[in-house]
Amino acid sequence: MSQVKQTALPRNIAPRRMPWKLYMRRYGTLYLLLIVPIAFFLLFRYTPMSYILLAFKKNNILVPPWQVPWVKNNGFDWFIKAFKDRSFQTALYNTIFLNLLDLIVGMPMPIMMALLLNELAFPKYKRVTQTVLYLPHFLSWVIISGITLRLFGTHDGIINKLLGTEIPFVSSENNWRATYIFLGIWKECGWNTIIYLAALTGISPELYEAAEVDGASRWRKIWHITLPGIRSTIVVLLIMNLGHILGSEFDRPFTLSNKLVEGASKTISIFVYERGIMGQQYALSTAVGLFQSVVCVIFLLISNALAKKFGERGIW
Amino acid sequence: MKKILALVLALAMIATLGITSAFAEDDFVDGKFTTPHKITVEIFERPNDGNSDVTSNPFATYIKEGMLERYNVEVEFKPEGRWDEANDIPNLLADGKAADVSYTYNSGAVVSYASMIDANGNPGIIDLTPYLEQYKDQLGDLITLLGSEENLYYDQDPVTGATYMLEAIKPDLSRITAFIRKDWLDALGLAVPTTEEEFYNCLVAFRDNAEKLLGADASKMIPYSTSTDIGWRNDLLSISKVAEDISDEALFVYGYDDRHLLYPGYKEGIRVLNKWYNEGLVWKDFGEHTDSTDEDNLMKAGYVGAFMHNWDYPYRNGEDSIANNLKRNVGENAEYIPIDCFKNDAGITRKYVGSPVGSDRKIFLPSTNKEVLASLLYINFISSQDVITFLQTGKEGVNYELTPEGAYKNLGATGEWIMNSGMNIDYTMTLNGYHLGDATDATLALAYPGIEPEMITLAHEYGYSNYRIAKHFNVGVIESETEVGGSLTSKRDELLTKAVTASVEDFDKVYDQYMADYMSIGGEDIINERIEKLQEVYGITFEK
């Protein structure tokens, strides 16, 4: 090991050892170009973040938050209020539950779909199939919710009429969760295959040829070449999804919900909408948003560390 | 010497400038500005077919010209979507872009912003008390419309004395009426129901005779329909279980929810609906539907036997009304008639209706308003009877024709003279409902094309027969109410929908469990604060 270290890159290539002036002359333009995106992030991402302070202040948005007095309990009053609030507890539970279901059921689907598409022999058929699969992605949830009721209504829905049953797809909480997950997969599965299909093209055809020479079956090839070939992509996406475990979409649960299943469908985003926008509780909803972000960052860090431990590259 | 003179003159000039800007009303002489002033005014906009531009149609022009002539004030209308306003108003206020004269049904937003203090130490909404005191003499028309000078201060905080809102008047007390299919009653030889029991028997008869009434469509029979807004759509049945001798204080303490959810006894009305639901008398799928389109279509198609709704619900929307569609789809004799049959323990069809003052929209001036007097003059102008009469009736021969009895018969104008909102209620900011003196009732009866005027009069009457208006206890802002936002309303609908669709055995369990939720997320705090405030301000002790 120590030998390897000694025979590292020759000194003159290592940028650190390059005279500063020479380095800047060579790469200075790149740094100059970088100023624009950095300025963008500072101005539009970090400056607004100063308003996170509102989470610890009294509810007043007429003046900047640093001019507003702190709330009691060392500024943590809104957090305490939120956690004592039954509707927030339900929203938190629902958010985690629905996101976990999405992760467990929804994540393997595009991988399987990508593998299937990859195995298709006729390029034209493959292309048409792909396009058909992408299309639902472009429908908004508002439209899908309208279609959902026509399809899955307990008594008037087409599915129940065809089956001659009265299954409450959208009016019992557990069934609603299943419908919610199913619709999520239906809408996004095709679209999410894109990234896996891209990763699949990166696998060297020579590996498949070698496997063929060795007499490997189609299934063996998938298991020993294709899946390991896209493993790092899968891990990166898994980490990113875990980072969103407490994040919540608004339009999907909001439009698909109805009064019979609100116990399952009220997520944090709807809580924030009801309290923050409709009830002008800006400080409370900022606190909830901050909590969401902090938990997401923690999840991201943990999953990234785990990925590294298992020999993957992680996302940074 | 010249220098000194120049200096003195310059100083004098600066001083006068300072004085004129500090007392901008100096140019207000004999009830009119001598120099032109300019204000912006919010106006609701509705997405109906054929509507005209709310900022420039003949009604808008009439107001603009009138204000210019009467007060030398130039008015610019700022349109705001009627169905988005409750959500938009907070955003506009946050952005400092709310119109100088704004109105909203979201009084919570006004209270919230009044409690926020800006950089100059002023609240986000202008406190009108000092201005009302100072300019009372200029507001005669407004005071006449409100009924008394006292009503100017209807929303005045009893402790701080601040008034952040003015009330719009809702002269019409009529609220909710029950309707039933007359042709079905006739076909089955049933009398028009006059009690809850008779009503129930009608529903059962509809259910059991579906084949006779609907033929091949028998499976589509819905004896009674409702929506997830059960509080509104089942109000008459629910409040018939409220004791006749309920006190004014109890009505106040349990009066947070505008659907009467917290009134003692309310649960029993929902229990009845739950029983009906389980007997197959109520539309099975109401819980799955989030808007009214499907239910309206079922009524229009002739599948619905009875329902409760706004007193004019089946008759509104002209040719496209439920009543007119029903006639076209089913036959000339198919019709919904109003009934009044839900009696309380004293045998009275008691209705708990909102007071003419205090139960409609609120008018407020945001702190960005620099023309308080001109704004108040606008509110006064829009409240004067000649302006109201013109805006509510329109142009003779185009919007109406006068009947021999002196009523204004609606001609259903289209084009630029169309009224985007019925009775132009969006323009008559301080008024929601006909205000035409003796012609009011007759005009109302003629306002629904294709419907017998007698039917309108009856439905209207049933909507407020035996009414009781809860006494107004002005206790100022109730803090816990400003915190809950839309969450209690949403929880209420969930509670009622869940309770109605539960099995009969589970009814109590479900109702009590959701009610406990409702109480824990703010309901309890509101009741307790109302009790405390009642004690504080009025010295009345209320026992729960």
Side-chain angles (χ1 to χ4, degrees):
Chain A
M1 268 314 254
S2 58
Q3 272 179 344
V4 178
K5 265 187 182 167
Q6 276 167 8
T7 55
L9 294 167
R11 278 181 160 199
N12 57 351
I13 306 183
R16 261 193 223 163
R17 299 301 164 106
M18 199 187 278
W20 188 79
K21 274 188 178 167
L22 178 70
Y23 179 78
M24 278 320 280
R25 202 180 304 151
R26 198 174 284 177
Y27 299 110
T29 343
L30 294 177
Y31 281 88
L32 215 61
L33 282 172
L34 201 59
I35 287 181
V36 180
I38 286 180
F40 169 83
F41 272 93
L42 284 179
L43 193 61
F44 293 109
R45 299 285 192 194
Y46 286 87
T47 315
M49 268 192 221
S50 59
Y51 273 67
I52 285 176
L53 206 56
L54 190 60
F56 307 95
K57 300 286 197 136
K58 289 209 160 138
N59 188 34
N60 185 348
I61 59 163
L62 296 181
V63 286
W66 45 92
Q67 294 177 20
V68 181
W70 299 88
V71 283
K72 46 188 186 197
N73 293 318
N74 300 319
F76 281 89
D77 199 38
W78 295 118
F79 293 89
I80 294 168
K81 266 196 179 153
F83 276 94
K84 276 189 184 159
D85 191 317
R86 278 280 281 277
S87 16
F88 177 72
Q89 293 165 4
T90 321
L92 184 62
Y93 173 81
N94 285 336
T95 308
I96 296 176
F97 193 33
L98 289 175
N99 282 346
L100 269 181
L101 276 179
D102 246 345
L103 190 69
I104 295 166
V105 186
M107 187 149 171
M109 291 293 170
I111 301 175
M112 287 192 257
M113 185 88 77
L115 293 179
L116 286 173
L117 285 171
N118 197 42
E119 297 296 316
L120 287 178
F122 307 105
K124 230 180 198 170
Y125 180 70
K126 184 179 164 184
R127 240 173 284 143
V128 172
T129 318
Q130 264 175 283
T131 313
V132 171
L133 286 171
Y134 295 165
L135 280 180
H137 170 76
F138 298 99
L139 291 178
S140 80
W141 280 111
V142 179
I143 294 171
I144 295 176
S145 78
I147 301 172
T148 306
L149 197 56
R150 307 285 158 225
L151 280 178
F152 295 105
T154 309
H155 299 100
D156 303 331
I158 295 169
I159 308 247
N160 270 321
K161 280 207 168 149
L162 284 178
L163 296 175
T165 51
E166 292 191 351
I167 305 167
F169 289 113
V170 290
S171 51
S172 101
E173 291 187 0
N174 278 330
N175 292 350
W176 181 84
R177 285 193 185 104
T179 312
Y180 175 90
I181 299 298
F182 168 78
L183 289 170
I185 293 171
W186 176 80
K187 182 172 186 288
E188 297 300 343
C189 184
W191 186 254
N192 289 340
T193 57
I194 294 179
I195 210 155
Y196 295 110
L197 286 171
L200 284 171
T201 56
I203 300 172
S204 166
E206 285 169 17
L207 291 173
Y208 290 106
E209 283 159 21
E212 217 146 291
V213 172
D214 290 346
S217 68
R218 190 169 261 221
W219 180 243
R220 283 278 145 204
K221 276 189 278 182
I222 293 180
W223 190 250
H224 290 291
I225 303 172
T226 317
L227 274 177
I230 59 169
R231 190 172 64 179
S232 51
T233 311
I234 296 176
V235 169
V236 166
L237 285 178
L238 181 68
I239 294 172
M240 286 169 71
N241 280 335
L242 279 170
H244 287 139
I245 199 78
L246 216 62
S248 67
E249 291 173 275
F250 175 75
D251 35 0
R252 184 171 163 204
F254 188 77
T255 53
L256 291 178
S257 177
N258 61 56
K259 286 290 159 195
L260 290 167
V261 296
E262 267 184 6
S265 70
K266 275 220 168 142
T267 53
I268 294 181
S269 54
I270 298 177
F271 175 84
V272 166
Y273 165 73
E274 275 182 0
R275 294 298 176 89
I277 307 226
M278 293 180 71
Q280 296 87 45
Q281 294 289 302
Y282 303 113
L284 173 74
S285 30
T286 310
V288 169
L290 180 60
F291 163 74
Q292 252 181 316
S293 309
V294 169
V295 174
C296 285
V297 169
I298 292 172
F299 261 86
L300 198 65
L301 290 175
I302 293 175
S303 50
N304 194 47
L306 280 177
K308 279 187 175 164
K309 203 168 181 185
F310 290 112
E312 288 296 333
R313 274 175 47 211
I315 51 173
W316 68 82
Chain B
M1 192 60 195
K2 260 187 186 172
K3 266 186 188 170
I4 294 173
L5 187 68
L7 196 69
V8 169
L9 281 175
L11 278 175
M13 223 168 81
I14 291 166
T16 22
L17 272 178
I19 288 169
T20 39
S21 58
F23 300 97
E25 297 85 0
D26 263 9
D27 63 343
F28 188 69
V29 181
D30 293 335
K32 189 174 179 176
F33 287 109
T34 51
T35 53
H37 284 236
K38 197 181 167 187
I39 55 168
T40 54
V41 174
E42 181 189 346
I43 176 75
F44 288 154
E45 205 176 27
R46 294 168 192 252
N48 301 340
D49 287 344
N51 273 1
S52 60
D53 182 350
V54 286
T55 63
S56 65
N57 65 27
F59 300 108
T61 311
Y62 171 87
I63 295 169
K64 286 182 191 170
E65 285 171 359
M67 276 300 288
L68 211 54
E69 193 189 330
R70 199 182 292 185
Y71 296 119
N72 202 8
V73 173
E74 194 187 320
V75 172
E76 186 199 330
F77 284 112
K78 273 191 157 183
E80 174 57 49
R82 167 66 186 92
W83 310 117
D84 307 318
E85 65 92 8
N87 286 341
D88 278 355
I89 286 290
N91 297 340
L92 290 171
L93 282 167
D95 208 12
K97 286 190 178 143
D100 289 335
V101 185
S102 292
Y103 61 155
T104 181
Y105 282 93
N106 182 358
S107 58
V110 182
V111 173
S112 291
Y113 278 85
S115 71
M116 297 182 196
I117 304 298
D118 72 8
N120 305 322
N122 297 320
I125 309 290
I126 290 179
D127 171 14
L128 294 172
T129 306
Y131 297 99
L132 292 175
E133 291 293 331
Q134 191 178 346
Y135 299 121
K136 208 178 299 178
D137 299 340
Q138 303 298 331
L139 304 176
D141 293 320
L142 176 61
I143 293 170
T144 309
L145 181 68
L146 289 173
S148 72
E149 200 182 300
E150 204 178 301
N151 282 339
L152 277 179
Y153 304 99
Y154 189 89
D155 294 305
Q156 184 171 33
D157 191 290
V159 181
T160 63
T163 308
Y164 294 111
M165 306 180 262
L166 292 172
E167 290 289 335
I169 293 286
K170 188 175 179 293
D172 189 351
L173 296 173
S174 200
R175 197 164 174 264
I176 298 168
T177 298
F179 299 92
I180 198 162
R181 280 283 291 276
K182 178 72 168 47
D183 50 321
W184 284 9
L185 293 179
D186 293 344
L188 300 176
L190 296 162
V192 175
T194 55
T195 61
E196 183 194 313
E197 198 192 346
E198 288 175 20
F199 183 76
Y200 169 74
N201 291 337
C202 291
L203 299 187
V204 172
F206 291 165
R207 180 195 63 191
D208 296 344
N209 293 290
E211 296 231 336
K212 183 176 177 192
L213 297 170
L214 288 174
D217 285 336
S219 67
K220 295 186 172 153
M221 161 62 73
I222 298 171
Y224 179 81
S225 88
T226 186
S227 77
T228 50
D229 189 1
I230 290 171
W232 185 262
R233 299 294 310 282
N234 200 52
D235 182 69
L236 302 176
L237 175 60
S238 311
I239 56 172
S240 73
K241 309 297 174 192
V242 177
E244 171 67 10
D245 61 0
I246 187 169
S247 67
D248 284 331
E249 289 77 17
L251 290 185
F252 169 73
V253 168
Y254 300 119
Y256 165 71
D257 185 66
D258 67 345
R259 306 292 200 250
H260 310 130
L261 173 73
L262 299 170
Y263 281 13
Y266 190 91
K267 181 181 170 188
E268 295 315 305
I270 302 300
R271 190 193 299 280
V272 174
L273 191 60
N274 167 262
K275 180 175 159 277
W276 292 357
Y277 183 85
N278 282 294
E279 289 175 13
L281 300 175
V282 181
W283 183 28
K284 283 176 288 193
D285 294 326
F286 81 92
E288 291 176 3
H289 292 258
T290 44
D291 74 17
S292 63
T293 326
D294 290 321
E295 195 195 351
D296 288 356
N297 286 338
L298 291 168
M299 292 174 186
K300 290 174 185 174
Y303 301 141
V304 176
F307 65 93
M308 284 174 216
H309 216 311
N310 300 46
W311 72 264
D312 64 347
Y313 197 76
Y315 312 127
R316 41 166 90 164
N317 294 339
E319 273 309 301
D320 195 32
S321 66
I322 288 169
N324 286 331
N325 270 296
L326 185 66
K327 278 201 166 69
R328 280 197 291 272
N329 292 333
V330 180
E332 265 310 302
N333 67 338
E335 64 172 346
Y336 283 110
I337 55 159
I339 52 174
D340 193 22
C341 64
F342 298 96
K343 293 172 180 158
N344 65 7
D345 53 350
I348 300 168
T349 59
R350 180 67 76 212
K351 315 278 158 54
Y352 294 92
V353 301
S355 129
V357 191
S359 41
D360 211 76
R361 51 208 174 193
K362 319 290 174 195
I363 300 150
F364 64 95
L365 312 186
S367 59
T368 44
N369 182 326
K370 301 291 172 243
E371 292 281 2
V372 178
L373 174 57
S375 305
L376 288 175
L377 293 175
Y378 178 84
I379 299 170
N380 188 60
F381 171 84
I382 211 77
S383 310
S384 43
Q385 190 57 51
D386 53 333
V387 176
I388 289 171
T389 307
F390 176 76
L391 290 174
Q392 294 198 331
T393 59
K395 190 177 178 184
E396 186 162 13
V398 179
N399 293 96
Y400 70 88
E401 59 186 26
L402 271 179
T403 66
E405 299 82 36
Y408 299 86
K409 185 174 189 300
N410 190 349
L411 297 177
T414 52
E416 60 170 0
W417 280 97
I418 192 172
M419 290 194 189
N420 292 343
S421 51
M423 302 173 273
N424 262 333
I425 56 169
D426 295 345
Y427 284 113
T428 59
M429 182 181 260
T430 48
L431 176 68
N432 182 0
Y434 273 130
H435 197 269
L436 302 167
D438 294 339
T440 301
D441 285 347
T443 302
L444 185 68
L446 294 171
Y448 297 85
I451 316 290
E452 291 293 312
E454 294 76 29
M455 196 76 89
I456 301 296
T457 307
L458 199 62
H460 182 241
E461 245 173 56
Y462 285 165
Y464 70 103
S465 58
N466 296 311
Y467 69 86
R468 175 168 171 190
I469 297 173
K471 192 178 162 199
H472 175 50
F473 290 98
N474 185 6
V475 297
V477 173
I478 298 167
E479 293 276 325
S480 46
E481 289 178 14
T482 63
E483 285 176 12
V484 291
S487 54
L488 282 188
T489 308
S490 170
K491 188 49 119 185
R492 173 199 66 208
D493 292 347
E494 189 189 354
L495 181 175
L496 295 177
T497 307
K498 281 288 201 183
V500 169
T501 53
S503 66
V504 173
E505 306 82 60
D506 285 346
F507 174 78
D508 278 302
K509 200 181 89 191
V510 172
Y511 193 98
D512 295 345
Q513 179 203 331
Y514 279 91
M515 186 49 104
D517 271 2
Y518 182 94
M519 285 300 175
S520 80
I521 64 169
E524 185 89 61
D525 291 345
I526 289 173
I527 291 175
N528 289 337
E529 195 178 337
R530 282 183 172 235
I531 293 174
E532 278 164 32
K533 289 269 164 76
L534 204 56
Q535 174 69 258
E536 256 172 54
V537 181
Y538 289 88
I540 298 171
T541 313
F542 181 85
E543 299 281 335
K544 267 203 258 188

